[in-house]
Each structure stands twice: as C-alpha cells, then as structure tokens.
Amino acid sequence: MNPFIKKHHRLLKILTIVFICIIALLILVAFALPAFAKSYIENHSEEWTGRKSKIEALRVNPLTASLTIRGFTLFEKDKKTAFVAFKELYVNTAPLALITGTLHVENVHLTAPYARVTQDSTVFNFSDLLQRFVPQDSAKKDTAAEDTAKTAEKGSGLPFSIAIDDIQIQRGNVVYEDLARKSKKKKKNIGLAIPAVYFSGKNTDVGLHLNFGEGGSLGVKVSYNIADGNF
C-alpha cells in the first residue's frame, strides 16, 4: 500500500475514534450524568439539610452549556408540606469566554419560586436549618468570620473576572404564617430583574419590582460597583 494512503487511513481512523469518543461523552453528559445527579441529590438531601427533596427533571445540554432543573421542592420536616420550591431554574453559560479570562453566565432564570415561612413565638420553620449551618457560639462565629475574610481575600485575587447577565425571578410567591396569632399573609407575583452583575470594575444595575396581591407595586433601580463599593 502506498505510504501516503496508509498514513491517510491511519489519520482517518484516529479522527473516527476521537469523534466517537466525543459523541459518547456528550451522550454521557446529556443523559447519564443528570439522572445520577438527580438521584444523588434526592437520596442525600436529608443527610445534608435534614429535609427531604424532590426534583421532577434535571437536564444538561452540553452543546449550549446549559442546566435546567424542573419541579424542585424542599419539604418541611413532616416530609409532606413544601418549604421552598420552584417550577424551573435555567442557567446558561458561555464556556468560550474562559479563553478571554471571564467566567460568563449568560442567563439565570428562576420561574415560580415559592417559600413558606411559619413562626410560633420565637421558633421558625427554618430554625433547624440555622442550627445546622450557622455557628452558635462566639468561638465558632470568630472562626467563621476569619474564614470569610480569607475567602474574600482569595477571591479578590482570582485569575479571571466573573460576569452574570440576565438574572430574572418571575411569578414568585411567599406565604407567612404566625401560628400563635393565627394569621396568614401572602405575597404573590414577585419579580426580580438584574440585567448584569460584574465582579470587576463594571457597574451592576439592579431592577427590582414587587407586585402585591392586594393591588399596587413597588419598583427600585440601583447601580452598584462591587470593586470600589460605590452606589
């Protein structure tokens, strides 16, 4: 066989193997990994938080570098009543931006989030979560403060900038119940819009709008520079 043809066939064989490996990896990321992650989170949520959780669907699109979580619920300690939930969380990234030294998240959309807060005297339905995750004594608080300061110091020296665009919360609902007074309040259709958040020298523009179930709304616009702390 002609050496050139033989070399060409060898190169074609290598490219075919690489292509098959890439396709197999994409299939693994798109189908096997989300199923494993969904099962793992549901099976270990009580270990991590003391609460049962449920996820209807978790999808990863390796071609667009996006993540979609549908039908998430974190339950109360009774394992039946929803504590926090959302209909859908969509996160879309731009991995090629890493070439320019930027960790870029193009979209973060949270649809129909729900939170239920109950209070019985000085005890809330999230008090057990605070006890689990927040240090209780002063020594632990001092250690936590030191760790936070060290983390911030390390974060300021990151070799890349961080940009998060198009943050949206749509149709949010919050329920507050005072069990001692037997009162219940609801806030419906809460929305949050943040065009962009920059962990660099650029300004972050925040737009917040609240729609109240009783009628009326509240809107706020803020521009903040994280680097110098100026509003």
Side-chain angles (χ1 to χ4, degrees):
M1 181 182 290
N2 188 300
F4 176 78
I5 297 177
K6 186 176 181 180
K7 184 177 180 180
H8 178 73
H9 282 178
R10 183 181 301 173
L11 178 61
L12 183 61
K13 184 178 181 180
I14 293 173
L15 291 176
T16 302
I17 293 173
V18 170
F19 178 76
I20 293 174
C21 290
I22 291 175
I23 295 299
L25 181 61
L26 291 176
I27 293 174
L28 177 65
V29 172
F31 297 100
L33 183 60
F36 171 78
K38 175 182 179 296
S39 176
Y40 191 83
I41 292 171
E42 290 181 332
N43 292 334
H44 290 80
S45 64
E46 289 190 73
E47 175 188 342
W48 299 334
T49 67
R51 306 289 184 94
K52 177 184 175 182
S53 70
K54 178 183 177 181
I55 299 174
E56 292 183 1
L58 190 156
R59 294 188 176 90
V60 175
N61 188 330
L63 299 179
T64 60
S66 64
L67 167 70
T68 303
I69 300 175
R70 292 193 177 98
F72 171 82
T73 304
L74 182 66
F75 294 93
E76 298 276 9
K77 290 188 290 184
D78 64 6
K79 301 181 182 181
K80 297 179 181 179
T81 308
F83 170 51
V84 293
F86 58 78
K87 182 178 180 181
E88 180 176 289
L89 172 64
Y90 172 76
V91 180
N92 183 38
T93 64
L96 292 179
L98 288 171
I99 299 175
T100 63
T102 301
L103 177 59
H104 187 196
V105 179
E106 293 184 330
N107 313 96
V108 179
H109 294 172
L110 183 61
T111 304
Y114 167 86
R116 176 178 179 266
V117 178
T118 64
Q119 179 182 2
D120 189 355
S121 185
T122 60
V123 179
F124 292 84
N125 61 337
F126 53 82
S127 295
D128 60 310
L129 297 176
L130 293 178
Q131 292 174 358
R132 178 182 288 265
F133 295 109
V134 179
Q136 297 300 309
D137 55 74
S138 58
K140 289 183 179 179
K141 288 181 180 179
D142 291 341
T143 302
E146 291 177 4
D147 292 342
T148 302
K150 290 179 181 179
T151 302
E153 185 177 351
K154 290 180 181 179
S156 62
L158 287 174
F160 51 82
S161 60
I162 301 175
I164 306 175
D165 295 339
D166 188 26
I167 302 172
Q168 295 185 30
I169 296 178
Q170 301 174 347
R171 305 196 308 274
N173 293 279
V174 177
V175 176
Y176 170 76
E177 295 184 56
D178 190 326
L179 301 180
R181 297 182 179 181
K182 297 182 179 180
S183 66
K184 186 175 183 179
K185 297 180 180 179
K186 297 181 180 180
K187 296 299 179 185
K188 299 180 180 180
N189 198 24
I190 299 172
L192 172 67
I194 304 177
V197 174
Y198 300 106
F199 294 87
S200 61
K202 295 183 179 180
N203 285 339
T204 293
D205 296 319
V206 179
L208 170 65
H209 70 273
L210 299 176
N211 296 316
F212 304 108
E214 302 83 3
S217 63
L218 171 67
V220 179
K221 293 193 70 175
V222 179
S223 180
Y224 177 66
N225 191 300
I226 296 177
D228 55 29
N230 291 328
F231 286 91

